[in-house]
Amino acid sequence: MPIQGFDYKAFAKNLAEQVGPALPPDIADPDRQYIVNTVHNFCYMAGEALANDTKVTLDANQASIITQLIGEWTFHKAIDIIRSNIDPQFRDGILQKVAFTIFEIAKTATIKNMSQGDILAIVEFQVKKAYNEALDELKNRGILNDAQVQEALSHSNIDEMTQQQAELQAQQQAQQQAQQQAQQAQAGDASGNEYINQMNNTRILKLATFAIVLKHLPPEKRQSLIERFDEKDAAVLLDYAAKEDLETSLDPNILAKGLKEIKNSLPKSKKINPARINKKLYNIVKNSDISKISNIIGKERKAIRDYVANVSSGNKNSPITPRIADIICNHLEEKLTRR
């Protein structure tokens, strides 16, 4: 008996239409279409199976949640597979295993009346397990090697999107709080308020934060920096700097963020210290799994492999230029952090 209010055909189409705008810009057009089609097909088949299942009784909301979980995880894992450069002929097999796992786990958990939070948690756990098992199967068949499996496991689009959303939310909250605090700090100056109200929240935060930096500089240095601002901004800076409670009137997290932005905007030294790079690389290799290091640099040129081996053994002499050495060091550090 069909599930009342659950039009799985329209629902699958609607989910697929949401995929395109949500795809990251690094996904090529043919791959984008593949993801859209796969999400639609999997959701259509899952919705049809739920609607025609005579052994269980689900309402429209429950069926929609199960189908949507399949669509969302298919979206994320398809991106991970594509970014891992796994041969296209093996994509469907991996994604089918993941989708089938979600279907069975989510349906069983729903029948048992588990909370939505618990369902999401157990589905996420089982998705990762199924994905790992699918990669291991390809490895056992000789299709993937250890490095390719590790590369595939290093990608997690859902974690990246979650982090981006959290950062955006924190930024919005910081901007709102900065605006409120800046307006309170300027309550006694009508002309200053009028000018500040014309500025965006980010600029207000930067001026307030920079004023704290000015307070700790020698007078001559302070004046030299103020002269680089236009007259109105300079007036706001001086007004902020004159407030004794400026540091305590700003939220510590907002203040730390503003100071970090100022630090990042300062010109970086272009001089590269070979000894510092060698020491950093030595510590990276010393404190990391040697097999992971080998997987990362295994396909690099012999000169690069020799350089890493020499530094790890304490040899400070190397034909590699300091700039290339710095790039190698940063590359290793980034790859190991993601594993």
Side-chain angles (χ1 to χ4, degrees):
M1 180 178 180
I3 300 173
Q4 185 176 2
F6 179 58
D7 184 347
Y8 66 85
K9 296 180 181 179
F11 191 61
K13 181 181 178 182
N14 178 263
L15 290 176
E17 289 174 347
Q18 298 177 40
V19 170
L23 284 168
D26 63 302
I27 304 299
D29 287 343
D31 293 330
R32 299 172 79 88
Q33 191 58 51
Y34 169 77
I35 296 175
V36 172
N37 293 341
T38 303
V39 168
H40 176 267
N41 293 340
F42 282 11
C43 290
Y44 186 101
M45 289 187 292
E48 184 179 35
L50 292 172
N52 296 330
D53 192 338
T54 58
K55 296 181 180 180
V56 297
T57 302
L58 299 174
D59 59 32
N61 181 61
Q62 292 171 326
S64 297
I65 290 175
I66 295 171
T67 306
Q68 185 167 347
L69 281 171
I70 290 173
E72 290 179 351
W73 276 109
T74 299
F75 170 85
H76 291 301
K77 300 317 292 180
I79 292 175
D80 293 345
I81 290 171
I82 289 169
R83 285 175 169 169
S84 303
N85 295 318
I86 292 176
D87 194 306
Q89 65 178 306
F90 302 113
R91 292 175 181 174
D92 285 351
I94 299 174
L95 293 176
Q96 286 168 2
K97 184 177 181 67
V98 170
F100 180 77
T101 298
I102 299 170
F103 183 84
E104 292 298 322
I105 294 297
K107 186 173 71 171
T108 301
T110 301
I111 294 171
K112 292 182 177 180
N113 292 319
M114 294 178 64
S115 68
Q116 187 169 339
D118 288 341
I119 292 176
L120 295 178
I122 193 172
V123 165
E124 180 175 3
F125 175 81
Q126 292 296 336
V127 163
K128 293 179 179 178
K129 181 180 178 183
Y131 186 66
N132 290 359
E133 289 174 352
L135 294 175
D136 284 338
E137 288 176 6
L138 293 177
K139 175 185 171 183
N140 293 335
R141 291 164 55 188
I143 295 169
L144 299 179
N145 57 36
D146 286 334
Q148 290 172 313
V149 171
Q150 290 302 317
E151 174 68 17
L153 293 176
S154 71
H155 295 284
S156 179
N157 186 68
I158 190 171
D159 289 339
E160 291 180 13
M161 287 190 65
T162 301
Q163 183 178 354
Q164 291 171 359
Q165 292 171 354
E167 290 175 351
L168 178 60
Q169 184 177 3
Q171 183 180 10
Q172 292 173 341
Q173 293 176 347
Q175 288 176 345
Q176 292 174 357
Q177 193 165 3
Q179 184 181 36
Q180 294 173 355
Q181 293 174 339
Q183 289 173 346
Q184 293 172 358
Q186 288 292 316
D189 186 349
S191 61
N193 275 332
E194 183 178 352
Y195 175 61
I196 287 177
N197 288 335
Q198 297 173 359
M199 295 189 290
N200 61 43
N201 298 332
T202 302
R203 185 165 181 78
I204 293 173
L205 173 62
K206 287 183 177 179
L207 287 174
T209 307
F210 194 73
I212 294 176
V213 177
L214 288 179
K215 293 176 67 173
H216 298 279
L217 294 176
E220 63 277 6
K221 184 65 174 178
R222 185 188 313 169
Q223 186 59 37
S224 173
L225 291 174
I226 290 176
E227 290 174 354
R228 300 184 183 185
F229 290 83
D230 65 42
E231 184 178 345
K232 290 184 177 180
D233 283 351
V236 174
L237 277 173
L238 288 172
D239 190 42
Y240 275 133
K243 297 182 180 297
E244 295 183 358
D245 63 342
L246 180 60
E247 289 91 340
T248 57
S249 67
L250 290 175
D251 182 271
N253 294 326
I254 296 177
L255 178 59
K257 182 177 182 292
L259 291 173
K260 182 178 180 180
E261 289 180 354
I262 292 176
K263 180 180 178 181
N264 291 338
S265 68
L266 297 176
K268 304 293 189 301
S269 173
K270 296 183 179 180
K271 185 177 180 180
I272 299 177
N273 187 325
R276 179 186 61 79
I277 296 172
N278 288 344
K279 182 178 179 181
K280 181 180 179 181
L281 181 59
Y282 175 81
N283 289 330
I284 289 175
V285 176
K286 179 182 178 182
N287 297 315
S288 303
D289 186 335
I290 190 63
S291 63
K292 293 182 179 180
I293 300 288
S294 298
N295 287 336
I296 295 172
I297 66 172
K299 295 183 180 180
E300 298 292 346
R301 298 188 304 275
K302 183 177 184 298
I304 294 177
R305 299 198 304 270
D306 290 345
Y307 166 64
V308 175
N310 288 339
V311 172
S312 62
S313 63
N315 188 349
K316 299 180 180 180
N317 297 321
S318 172
I320 298 291
T321 65
R323 184 166 298 279
I324 297 299
D326 189 41
I327 293 174
I328 295 171
C329 187
N330 291 334
H331 174 71
L332 266 178
E333 185 176 40
E334 179 184 356
K335 285 289 186 180
L336 288 168
T337 301
R338 291 169 55 186
R339 290 173 181 266

